[in-house]
Amino acid sequence: MDTPLIWVVPFSGVLALAVAGYFAWDVLRSPVGTPEMQRVAGLIYVAAVAFIRRQYRTIALLALGGAVLIGAVVYFFEHVEGITSAELAVRTAVAFLVGAVASMLSGIIGMFVAVKSNLRTSAAAQHSIGDALRISLRGGAVSGILVVALSLIGVFVMFLAYNGFGNPSQAPFLIVGFGFGASFVALFAQLGGGIYTKAADLGADLVGKVEAGIPEDDPRNAAVIADLVGDNVGDCAGRGADLFESTAAENIGAMILGVAIYLATQNLAWVLFPLVVRAFGLIASVAGIFVVRGREEGDPMNSLNLGFYITTGLSIVFMALVTNTLLNEKDAWYWFFYAGVVGILTSLAFVYITRYYTSGASRPVREIAEATKTGPATTIISGTAIGFETTAPSVITISVALFLAYSFGARWSEATGFPNGGVYGTAVATMGMLMSAAFILAMDTFGPITDNAAGVVTMARASEEVRNRMDRLDAAGNTTKALTKGYAVASAALAAFLLFSAYLDRVAELTKHPFHTVNLASVNVFIGGLLGAMLVYLFSALAIRAVGRAGSAIIEEVRRQFREHPGIMRGTEEPDYARVVDITTASALRNMIPPGVLAVGAPVLVGILLRAEAEAAMLMVGTMAGVILATVLNNGGGAWDNAKKFIELGELHDDEGRVIGKGTAAHAAAVVGDTVGDPFKDTAGPSLHVLVKLLSTITLVLAPLFV
Amino acid sequence: MDTPLIWVVPFSGVLALAVAGYFAWDVLRSPVGTPEMQRVAGLIYVAAVAFIRRQYRTIALLALGGAVLIGAVVYFFEHVEGITSAELAVRTAVAFLVGAVASMLSGIIGMFVAVKSNLRTSAAAQHSIGDALRISLRGGAVSGILVVALSLIGVFVMFLAYNGFGNPSQAPFLIVGFGFGASFVALFAQLGGGIYTKAADLGADLVGKVEAGIPEDDPRNAAVIADLVGDNVGDCAGRGADLFESTAAENIGAMILGVAIYLATQNLAWVLFPLVVRAFGLIASVAGIFVVRGREEGDPMNSLNLGFYITTGLSIVFMALVTNTLLNEKDAWYWFFYAGVVGILTSLAFVYITRYYTSGASRPVREIAEATKTGPATTIISGTAIGFETTAPSVITISVALFLAYSFGARWSEATGFPNGGVYGTAVATMGMLMSAAFILAMDTFGPITDNAAGVVTMARASEEVRNRMDRLDAAGNTTKALTKGYAVASAALAAFLLFSAYLDRVAELTKHPFHTVNLASVNVFIGGLLGAMLVYLFSALAIRAVGRAGSAIIEEVRRQFREHPGIMRGTEEPDYARVVDITTASALRNMIPPGVLAVGAPVLVGILLRAEAEAAMLMVGTMAGVILATVLNNGGGAWDNAKKFIELGELHDDEGRVIGKGTAAHAAAVVGDTVGDPFKDTAGPSLHVLVKLLSTITLVLAPLFV
C-alpha cells in the first residue's frame, strides 16, 4: 500500500458512513405527523416493501442463474496463466454475485430511507418549508452517500481480495464480474421499478383525473397508493441501483485502462487513481450536501444550486491534488488535471442544458405550452421535435469533452513517451464527472421523497397552506430529477469510449494479440453496429409497452371498484388499495422479464455469431444510439411535464392576455403530453442508461466467448 | 461497346418513353367530369404549379451556388492524372447540374401527371371503379416509368459523355457529381413538399374536423385546396425526386465498386452491370404495370399485388440472364445471381413487414385501436412502442440480406481469385432490389392521385356512390404509399454498405493509398459516428417543427376566415382558398431551408474538422441511425393512420361487442394519433431517406476536402 493518498479510500468510506448515519438519525428522530399521515405512509411502506421483496427474490434467482452461466463460460473458454480454470471461474462468479448483492443493497437502502423520510417531510411541512427541505434532503443524502460509498468500497474490497496490490495487472480483469453483477441487478431493478411507477401513475391519472374528474392523489382513487409506492420503488430504488453500477463499471473500466500505463511506468498509481479520485469526490459531495439549507422564503433550487457549485469547486481542487500526487510522471500531471476539469465542467454543462430544455422559463417549454392551444396532437408533435432537438447540444458537448480529454491525454503521451495517454484522458474526465455522483444522487432521491410527501399530505387531507409548501418543494424535486437523468446520460456517453477501450484491452489480453481496430468497413462489424442500434429501440419498445399493459390492468381494476362500490366516489367507502398494488406488482414483475432477457441475450448472441469485432461495434453503436435515444426520451418527457406545470401555474395566456389555466382544453392537451412523457422519461429512458452500461460489462465479462 | 446486352439500356429507355407516352395519352383522352370537378381540379392545378415554380426557383438558385462551390473544391483540392484541374472542376460541376436538373424534371413530371390524372380519375369514378383504377394507375405509371428511365438514361449519358468506354476506371468517379446534384435537389424537394403537404393537412384537419366539426375535404374549409395541393407537391413531386436520386446514387456507387474488379479482370462488364440490370428491371416493371387491371368487384390491392409478383418473378429471370452473361468470370456467375436474388427477395420481405405493421388485420394496428379506448395518451404510447418495435424485423432482414449477399460475393472471390467480390455482392443485391423501382414508384404515385381524386369528388359534392368508390381506391392507395416507404428505407439500408465502400475507394483513389479501415476505436471516428447519429435527430426535429409552425399559421388563417366571414360556414360564401395556399407556400419554402442547410453543412464541417475517417463514421453511423429512425417514423405513422381507419370501418368493439365508431372518444383519440403520425411518416421519414443518400453522395463528391 505504498501509493500515496490511497488511505483516502477507506477514510472517505468511514466518513460517508458516519455522515449517512448522522443524517439517518436526524431524519428518524423527526416528528411523524398526524395519525392520518402515518396511516397513509404505513400503507405505502407495506406495499413498497412487499414489492421490493418479491422483485428482489426474482432478481436474486436470475442473478444466481447468471452467476452459474458466467462461471461456466469462464471455466470453458478463459485461460489465464497462474490460475486454474476452476479458480478463475469461481472468482468471476463470486465477483458477479458480490456486485449483484451490493447493487440490491443500494436499491433497498434507497427505497427504505425514502419511505421513512417522506412521512417526516410531510409532518415537517405542517409548520415550516425549511424543515421539510432539510428532512427530505437529508433523507436523499443518506441514500446518495451510501450508494456511492458502497460502490467505492465494493470495488476497493474486491481489488484487495483479488490481490490487486500483488498483481495489479490482472486484478482489474478479475473484478469486471463485479460490474456485470451490478449492471445485471440494476437492469431488472430499474425496469421493474420503472414499469411499476409509471403504470401506476398512468392508471391513477387516466381513471382519476381524466375519467372521474378527481384531483391528483385523491384518496378515493384506488390506484393512488400504488402510484405513491411507485415513486419509491422506481425513482429511488431504481436510480440507486443505476448509479451504483455506473460508478462501479466506470471505475473498473478506468482501472483496466490504467493497467497499460502501469506496465510501462511500473507505478501502481495509474491503476488506483480512479479509486482515489472518487474518494475525494465523495468528500466534496458530502461538503456540498452540508451547505444546502432550506429557508422559508425563496426558491429551494437556489440552495441546491449553491451546494452543487461547492461540490464542483472542491472537485476541481481535489482533482488538481490527486493528479499532481498520483499521475505526476515526468512532471506532466497537468495534462490529466485538464482532462479531469473537462469532465467536471461537462457535468455542469449538462445541468444547464437540461435546465434549459425542461424549465418553464425557457423557449422549449413555452413552445410546447403554446402548442397545447391547438390540442393534444400539436402538443405531441411539438414535444417530439423538442426531444429530438435536445440531442444536438448534448452530443456536441460530449463530443467536445471527449475530444479535449483525449487530446490532453495524448499530449501527456507525447510529453512523457508513455503509451495510452489519450484514452486514459477520457477515463480521467469520466472520473472527474463522477466525483459529484453522491451529491447528484442525493438531489435525485430528494425528488421522489418530496413527491411522495406531497402525496401523503394530500391523502391525509392536510390544510391548503401545508399543501402549497409541499408543492413548492415538489417542483424543485422535479427539476433535480430531470437534472440527474441528464447527468446519468452524459456520464454514460463520456464513459462509453473508456469502457469500449477496456473491452479491446480485455480481448487483447485474452488472445495475446493487440486489438486496436474495429473496422466499420467490414460487413460483420457493420451488421453488429446496425443490430446494436436496433437493440435500443426494441428494448425501449418492450419497456414502453409494458407500462401500457400494466397501466391498462390498473385502469380496469379502478373502474371496476368505482362501478361496484359507488360509496368510494361519495367518500363513504374506502377503495381497495391493496388489490391495485397487487395487480401492479404482478404486472411489473412479469413485464420486466422480456426487455431484461433481450438486453442480456442479444449481445451474447451477436458476439457468438459474429465474433469479437462485430460485438465491439454492437457495443459502440448501441451505446451511441442508446445515449441519444435516452436523451430524446428523458428531455422530451421532462419538457412535456413542465409545459403542464407552466399552464397549471397560470403562465399561459391567450391572444387577449387572459390566463389559460387548469380545466381548459389546452390543459387537457398538456396532460396528454405529460402522460405520454411519463413512460419515456421514467421507464424507457433510465432503463436505457442501464442497458448501455450492461452492454459494456457483459462484453467485458463474456469476451472469452467471442474471441 | 462490345459489352453484351448493353444495347438493352437505350432500348429500355425508348420502350419506357413509348409506354409512358401511351399511358399519358390514355389518361389525357379520358373524360374530365362535371364542371364542378373541373373547377376544383383547376384550383388545385394552379396552386400546385405556383408552388412548384416558386420552390424550384429557390432550389435552382441553391443548386447553382452548390455547383460553384463544388467546382471550387474540386479545382483547389483534387488532382487527377491526365486532366487539368479546371477541366475536372467543370466536369464535376456540370455533372452536378445535370443531376440537379434531371431530378427537378422528375419532380415536375410526377406532380404534373398526378394533377392531370386526379381529375380524370374522379370523372371515371362516376360510373366505374375499374376505369378509375386504370386511370389513376396509368397516371402513376407515367411518373414511375419516366422517373426511373430518366435516372437510368441520365447516368448512361453522363458515362458516355465522360468517355466511360475509353476510360472506365475513371468515369464513374467523374459522374458522382450527378448523384450529388440529384440528392441535393431531392432533399429540398422532399423537405419543401413534405412540409407543405403535412402542414396543410394538419391545419385543415384541426380547424375543420376538430374545431368546426365539418368533414374531411369539406369545401367550406379554406385549407382544403392547400391540403389537396399538398398531396401532389409532397407525395408525388417529393417521392419522384427521392427515388430518382436513390436509383442514380446507388447505380453510380455500384459502378465505382465495379472498377476494382474491372482492373483485375479487364472486363468492362463489371462497371456496366448496374446499368444493364436496371434496364431489365425497367422492362420487368413495365410488364408488371401492364398486368394490373381494375375490376368492379374485389379488393384493388389483389390486382396490384399480382403486378408486383410478376415484376419480381421477371426480375429473378432477368437477373439470372444478366449475371450469367456479364459476370461469368470462370463460370462462377451464380454466386452473384444468388446475391441478386437476395436483393429481390428483400424487397418482397419488406412488403410483408410493412403490411403487417400497418394493416388493420394484424396485431399492431389492433393494439393501437384498443389503446384508443383509454384516450389519446395511451394511443400515442402504444403507437410509439409499435414504431420502435418495427425496427427489429426491418434491421434483422437487412442484416441477413447484407450478410448473405456479401458471403455469396466473397465465395465468388474465393472461387475465382479476383478481389472485392463480397462488397460487389451487396451491390448486386441492391441493384436487384432496385429492379422493381419503376413498379413501386408507379404504385406510390397511384396513392396521392386517388387521394386527390377522392378530395375532388367530395369537394364537387358528388353522389354517395361515387364517393364510396373513391374511398375504396383511396384505401388501397394508402397501403401502396406505406409499402413504398418501406421499400425506400430498405434500399437505403442495403445500399449503405456499398456507398460507404465506394467512399473508401474514392478516398483511396485520391490519396493513392489503400483505405480499408474505419476504426471505431479511434476517438475522432467515435465522435464522427456520434455526430452522425445526432444529425438525423436534429434534422428530423427541424422538419417536424417546420410542419408545426406552418400548420399553426394555416390554423390562424382559417379561423380568421370563419370568424370574419360567417357566410362560409353556412355555405353561402366561398372561403379564400388562395390565401391559405399562399401562406402554406411561403411557410414551407422558408422552413425547408434550415434542415436542408444542416444536412449539407454538417457533413462538410465534420469532414473538414475531423478528416476522412471520421467522416466515414459519420456517414455510416448516420446512415444506420437514419434508416432506423425513418423506420420508426414511417411505420409508427402508418400504424396510427390505419388504427384510425380501423375504427372508421367499425371494426373496434367494446366489452359488450358494440361498435365503437366515428364520433366516439376513442375515434377522437385515434385522430390525434393519426395527426401526430402525419409529419412523422410524410415529412420527417421520407426526408430522412434523402438525407441518408445525400450523406453518401456529398462525401463522395467532397472527399478531396477531407483527405
Side-chain angles (χ1 to χ4, degrees):
Chain A
M1 280 239 207
D2 57 350
T3 304
L5 292 181
I6 188 71
W7 55 267
V8 169
V9 178
F11 169 79
S12 73
V14 172
L15 176 79
L17 289 179
V19 172
Y22 165 68
F23 284 164
W25 169 78
D26 188 40
V27 168
L28 288 175
R29 74 180 170 138
S30 301
V32 293
T34 66
E36 186 57 18
M37 285 178 180
Q38 293 176 39
R39 197 184 67 86
V40 173
L43 288 171
I44 297 172
Y45 179 79
V46 170
V49 169
F51 173 74
I52 290 285
R53 191 173 289 153
R54 280 176 66 179
Q55 184 188 27
Y56 279 22
R57 200 182 302 138
T58 311
I59 296 178
L61 282 174
L62 291 168
L64 272 177
V68 171
L69 283 177
I70 289 162
V73 166
V74 170
Y75 184 78
F76 289 110
F77 293 94
E78 188 169 358
H79 306 286
V80 174
E81 250 172 74
I83 293 186
T84 67
S85 287
E87 197 185 336
L88 197 62
V90 169
R91 282 196 177 185
T92 308
V94 167
F96 177 86
L97 285 177
V98 172
V101 169
S103 173
M104 287 190 196
L105 211 56
S106 301
I108 291 169
I109 291 168
M111 193 280 300
F112 185 80
V113 173
V115 175
K116 290 289 171 194
S117 308
N118 60 34
L119 170 61
R120 284 148 180 100
T121 302
S122 22
Q126 289 178 299
H127 45 86
S128 144
I129 194 172
D131 280 354
L133 177 60
R134 200 195 73 238
I135 292 175
S136 49
L137 205 63
R138 294 196 159 180
V142 175
S143 159
I145 293 171
L146 279 184
V147 166
V148 173
L150 201 58
S151 142
L152 176 65
I153 293 170
V155 176
F156 185 61
V157 167
M158 291 305 294
F159 186 74
L160 288 180
Y162 287 177
N163 191 23
F165 285 92
N167 191 356
S169 68
Q170 240 176 37
F173 292 103
L174 289 176
I175 60 176
V176 289
F178 181 84
F180 183 25
S183 308
F184 187 89
V185 168
L187 179 75
F188 287 99
Q190 178 65 59
L191 275 172
I195 294 168
Y196 188 111
T197 179
K198 288 304 128 175
D201 196 358
L202 184 78
D205 277 7
L206 285 181
V207 193
K209 284 203 252 182
V210 180
E211 288 185 14
I214 54 180
E216 177 136 10
D217 296 330
D218 191 291
R220 290 171 292 180
N221 190 333
V224 72
I225 292 290
D227 187 10
L228 292 170
V229 170
D231 296 336
N232 296 296
V233 302
D235 289 349
C236 299
R239 200 65 39 78
D242 175 359
L243 274 183
F244 176 86
E245 64 95 29
S246 283
T247 51
E250 288 159 18
N251 186 341
I252 296 170
M255 290 173 90
I256 289 180
L257 296 181
V259 167
I261 306 189
Y262 158 74
L263 291 175
T265 60
Q266 289 302 318
N267 178 357
L268 192 55
W270 294 92
V271 178
L272 295 174
F273 168 80
L275 289 167
V276 174
V277 80
R278 281 185 62 202
F280 274 103
L282 188 52
I283 296 170
S285 295
V286 169
I289 292 169
F290 263 106
V291 167
V292 183
R293 302 222 171 281
R295 270 184 254 131
E296 201 59 29
E297 298 304 311
D299 187 347
M301 273 315 290
N302 293 336
S303 182
L304 295 171
N305 285 336
L306 180 66
F308 183 58
Y309 295 139
I310 299 274
T311 302
T312 304
L314 277 178
S315 294
I316 293 179
V317 174
F318 287 149
M319 179 58 81
L321 172 72
V322 179
T323 48
N324 177 271
T325 312
L326 292 189
L327 308 185
N328 199 7
E329 234 72 54
K330 301 192 184 170
D331 282 330
W333 62 277
Y334 49 88
W335 289 119
F336 287 118
F337 170 61
Y338 298 159
V341 172
V342 165
I344 296 169
L345 295 183
T346 302
S347 68
L348 213 58
F350 267 82
V351 167
Y352 285 109
I353 293 172
T354 311
R355 200 183 296 161
Y356 175 72
Y357 276 105
T358 58
S359 122
S362 59
R363 191 256 316 160
V365 171
R366 281 168 196 273
E367 195 169 302
I368 298 176
E370 283 296 321
T372 62
K373 292 180 182 172
T374 38
T378 43
T379 307
I380 300 296
I381 290 172
S382 164
T384 304
I386 297 290
F388 282 11
E389 184 193 308
T390 61
T391 62
S394 307
V395 166
I396 290 170
T397 305
I398 288 293
S399 297
V400 170
L402 257 183
F403 183 82
L404 288 178
Y406 190 93
S407 304
F408 291 141
R411 297 288 282 277
W412 174 86
S413 275
E414 273 171 37
T416 63
F418 291 121
N420 288 38
V423 59
Y424 201 79
T426 70
V428 174
T430 307
M431 299 322 295
M433 180 151 194
L434 286 181
M435 287 178 85
S436 52
F439 184 87
I440 294 280
L441 189 53
M443 297 303 101
D444 182 62
T445 311
F446 158 78
I449 291 175
T450 55
D451 195 356
N452 242 272
V456 170
V457 161
T458 309
M459 287 273 299
R461 301 179 206 270
S463 74
E464 187 71 21
E465 192 195 351
V466 178
R467 274 149 70 177
N468 280 345
R469 279 200 196 107
M470 276 318 307
D471 279 351
R472 271 174 62 201
L473 278 186
D474 190 17
N478 275 320
T479 308
T480 61
K481 275 197 285 184
L483 295 180
T484 314
K485 282 175 213 145
Y487 178 86
V489 174
S491 72
L494 200 58
F497 195 71
L498 100 88
L499 289 167
F500 179 71
S501 305
Y503 169 74
L504 299 188
D505 280 7
R506 165 107 162 117
V507 171
E509 221 244 355
L510 286 167
T511 58
K512 309 288 173 212
H513 281 291
F515 181 36
H516 298 303
T517 307
V518 176
N519 185 11
L520 260 182
S522 137
V523 75
N524 279 7
V525 174
F526 183 79
I527 292 174
L530 202 55
L531 291 171
M534 177 274 276
L535 171 64
V536 304
Y537 280 94
L538 184 58
F539 176 82
S540 304
L542 294 176
I544 292 172
R545 175 171 305 145
V547 173
R549 290 214 173 129
S552 297
I554 295 169
I555 289 172
E556 273 171 33
E557 170 60 19
V558 178
R559 279 184 185 158
R560 187 194 63 77
Q561 293 196 20
F562 275 139
R563 197 171 53 235
E564 296 178 8
H565 302 275
I568 294 175
M569 202 58 187
R570 288 194 299 269
T572 58
E573 197 174 350
E574 179 158 90
D576 188 351
Y577 303 123
R579 214 179 131 79
V580 177
V581 165
D582 278 350
I583 290 173
T584 315
T585 302
S587 191
L589 293 182
R590 202 170 43 242
N591 283 302
M592 78 181 182
I593 302 292
V597 168
L598 172 74
V600 177
V604 175
L605 207 64
V606 167
I608 291 176
L609 289 177
L610 301 175
R611 318 310 298 161
E613 199 181 342
E615 178 80 357
M618 174 174 222
L619 160 59
M620 205 119 191
V621 179
T623 300
M624 294 178 190
V627 163
I628 289 180
L629 186 58
T631 304
V632 170
L633 297 172
N634 290 342
N635 290 336
W640 272 316
D641 190 351
N642 280 326
K644 186 192 73 171
K645 296 223 165 68
F646 185 82
I647 294 176
E648 289 175 351
L649 290 170
E651 301 199 27
L652 184 68
H653 300 91
D654 66 10
D655 292 345
E656 275 95 50
R658 285 175 302 233
V659 168
I660 303 179
K662 274 193 178 181
T664 59
H667 182 246
V671 170
V672 170
D674 180 40
T675 311
V676 169
D678 269 346
F680 289 7
K681 74 181 198 312
D682 290 323
T683 309
S687 299
L688 276 175
H689 311 163
V690 187
L691 170 71
V692 162
K693 297 286 167 52
L694 181 88
L695 282 177
S696 301
T697 54
I698 203 171
T699 47
L700 273 172
V701 172
L702 298 183
L705 262 184
F706 314 142
V707 296
Chain B
M1 279 238 204
D2 57 351
T3 303
L5 293 181
I6 189 69
W7 55 267
V8 169
V9 178
F11 169 79
S12 72
V14 172
L15 175 77
L17 289 180
V19 172
Y22 165 68
F23 282 164
W25 170 79
D26 188 40
V27 168
L28 289 175
R29 75 181 169 138
S30 302
V32 291
T34 66
E36 186 57 19
M37 285 177 181
Q38 292 176 40
R39 197 184 68 86
V40 173
L43 288 171
I44 297 172
Y45 179 78
V46 170
V49 169
F51 174 73
I52 289 285
R53 191 172 291 154
R54 281 176 65 179
Q55 184 187 29
Y56 279 21
R57 200 183 304 139
T58 311
I59 296 178
L61 282 175
L62 292 168
L64 273 178
V68 171
L69 282 177
I70 289 162
V73 166
V74 169
Y75 183 76
F76 289 110
F77 293 94
E78 189 168 357
H79 306 286
V80 173
E81 249 172 77
I83 291 187
T84 65
S85 287
E87 195 185 337
L88 197 61
V90 169
R91 282 197 177 184
T92 307
V94 166
F96 177 86
L97 285 176
V98 173
V101 169
S103 174
M104 287 191 197
L105 210 57
S106 302
I108 291 170
I109 291 168
M111 193 280 302
F112 185 81
V113 173
V115 175
K116 290 288 172 197
S117 308
N118 60 33
L119 171 61
R120 285 148 180 100
T121 302
S122 20
Q126 289 179 298
H127 45 86
S128 144
I129 194 172
D131 279 354
L133 178 61
R134 201 195 72 236
I135 292 175
S136 50
L137 206 63
R138 294 195 159 181
V142 174
S143 161
I145 293 172
L146 279 184
V147 166
V148 173
L150 201 59
S151 143
L152 176 64
I153 293 169
V155 176
F156 185 61
V157 167
M158 291 304 295
F159 186 75
L160 288 181
Y162 287 176
N163 191 22
F165 285 93
N167 191 354
S169 67
Q170 243 177 32
F173 291 102
L174 289 176
I175 60 176
V176 288
F178 182 85
F180 183 27
S183 308
F184 188 88
V185 169
L187 179 74
F188 287 99
Q190 178 65 60
L191 275 172
I195 294 168
Y196 189 109
T197 180
K198 287 304 128 174
D201 196 359
L202 184 77
D205 277 7
L206 286 181
V207 193
K209 284 201 252 183
V210 179
E211 289 186 14
I214 54 181
E216 177 138 8
D217 296 329
D218 191 290
R220 289 171 294 179
N221 190 334
V224 72
I225 292 290
D227 188 10
L228 291 169
V229 171
D231 297 336
N232 296 297
V233 301
D235 289 348
C236 300
R239 200 65 38 78
D242 175 1
L243 273 183
F244 175 85
E245 63 97 28
S246 282
T247 50
E250 287 157 19
N251 186 341
I252 296 169
M255 290 172 89
I256 288 180
L257 295 181
V259 167
I261 306 188
Y262 157 74
L263 290 175
T265 60
Q266 289 301 319
N267 179 356
L268 193 55
W270 293 92
V271 178
L272 295 174
F273 169 80
L275 289 168
V276 174
V277 81
R278 280 185 63 201
F280 275 104
L282 188 53
I283 297 172
S285 294
V286 169
I289 291 169
F290 264 107
V291 168
V292 182
R293 301 223 171 280
R295 270 184 253 132
E296 203 58 29
E297 298 304 310
D299 186 348
M301 273 316 290
N302 293 337
S303 181
L304 295 173
N305 285 336
L306 179 67
F308 184 58
Y309 294 140
I310 299 274
T311 302
T312 304
L314 276 177
S315 293
I316 293 179
V317 173
F318 287 148
M319 180 58 83
L321 173 71
V322 179
T323 48
N324 178 271
T325 312
L326 293 189
L327 308 184
N328 199 7
E329 235 71 53
K330 301 192 184 169
D331 282 331
W333 62 277
Y334 48 89
W335 290 119
F336 286 118
F337 170 61
Y338 297 158
V341 171
V342 165
I344 296 168
L345 294 184
T346 302
S347 69
L348 213 58
F350 266 82
V351 166
Y352 285 110
I353 292 171
T354 311
R355 201 182 294 161
Y356 175 72
Y357 275 105
T358 59
S359 120
S362 59
R363 191 257 315 160
V365 171
R366 282 169 196 271
E367 195 169 301
I368 298 177
E370 282 296 320
T372 63
K373 292 179 184 173
T374 38
T378 44
T379 306
I380 300 295
I381 291 172
S382 164
T384 304
I386 296 291
F388 282 11
E389 184 193 309
T390 60
T391 62
S394 307
V395 166
I396 290 170
T397 305
I398 290 293
S399 297
V400 170
L402 258 183
F403 183 84
L404 288 178
Y406 190 93
S407 304
F408 291 142
R411 297 289 282 278
W412 173 85
S413 275
E414 273 171 37
T416 61
F418 290 120
N420 289 35
V423 61
Y424 201 79
T426 70
V428 174
T430 307
M431 299 323 295
M433 180 149 194
L434 286 182
M435 287 178 85
S436 51
F439 183 87
I440 294 280
L441 189 54
M443 296 304 101
D444 182 61
T445 310
F446 157 80
I449 291 175
T450 54
D451 196 356
N452 242 273
V456 171
V457 161
T458 310
M459 288 273 298
R461 302 176 205 269
S463 72
E464 187 71 20
E465 192 195 352
V466 178
R467 274 148 73 177
N468 279 345
R469 279 198 195 110
M470 275 319 307
D471 278 352
R472 271 174 61 201
L473 278 186
D474 190 17
N478 276 321
T479 307
T480 62
K481 276 196 286 184
L483 295 180
T484 314
K485 282 175 214 145
Y487 177 85
V489 175
S491 72
L494 199 58
F497 196 71
L498 100 87
L499 289 168
F500 180 70
S501 305
Y503 170 73
L504 299 189
D505 280 7
R506 165 105 162 117
V507 172
E509 221 244 354
L510 286 167
T511 58
K512 308 288 174 216
H513 282 290
F515 182 35
H516 298 304
T517 306
V518 176
N519 185 10
L520 260 183
S522 137
V523 75
N524 280 6
V525 174
F526 183 78
I527 292 174
L530 203 54
L531 290 171
M534 177 274 277
L535 172 64
V536 304
Y537 280 95
L538 183 58
F539 175 82
S540 304
L542 294 176
I544 292 172
R545 174 170 307 143
V547 173
R549 290 214 173 130
S552 296
I554 296 170
I555 289 172
E556 274 172 34
E557 171 61 20
V558 179
R559 279 184 186 160
R560 187 193 63 77
Q561 293 197 17
F562 275 140
R563 197 171 55 234
E564 297 178 6
H565 303 274
I568 294 175
M569 201 58 187
R570 289 194 299 270
T572 57
E573 198 174 349
E574 179 155 273
D576 187 351
Y577 302 123
R579 216 177 129 79
V580 177
V581 165
D582 277 350
I583 289 172
T584 316
T585 302
S587 190
L589 293 183
R590 202 168 46 241
N591 283 303
M592 78 180 181
I593 303 291
V597 168
L598 172 75
V600 177
V604 174
L605 208 64
V606 167
I608 291 175
L609 289 177
L610 301 175
R611 319 309 298 162
E613 198 180 343
E615 179 80 357
M618 174 174 223
L619 160 60
M620 203 118 192
V621 178
T623 299
M624 293 178 191
V627 163
I628 289 179
L629 186 57
T631 304
V632 170
L633 297 172
N634 290 342
N635 291 336
W640 273 316
D641 190 352
N642 281 327
K644 186 192 72 169
K645 297 225 164 68
F646 184 81
I647 293 177
E648 290 176 350
L649 290 170
E651 301 198 28
L652 184 68
H653 300 90
D654 66 9
D655 292 346
E656 274 95 50
R658 286 175 301 233
V659 169
I660 303 180
K662 273 193 179 181
T664 58
H667 181 244
V671 169
V672 170
D674 181 41
T675 311
V676 169
D678 269 346
F680 289 7
K681 74 182 199 308
D682 290 323
T683 310
S687 298
L688 277 176
H689 310 164
V690 187
L691 171 70
V692 162
K693 297 284 165 53
L694 180 89
L695 282 178
S696 301
T697 55
I698 203 171
T699 48
L700 273 173
V701 172
L702 298 184
L705 264 183
F706 315 142
V707 296

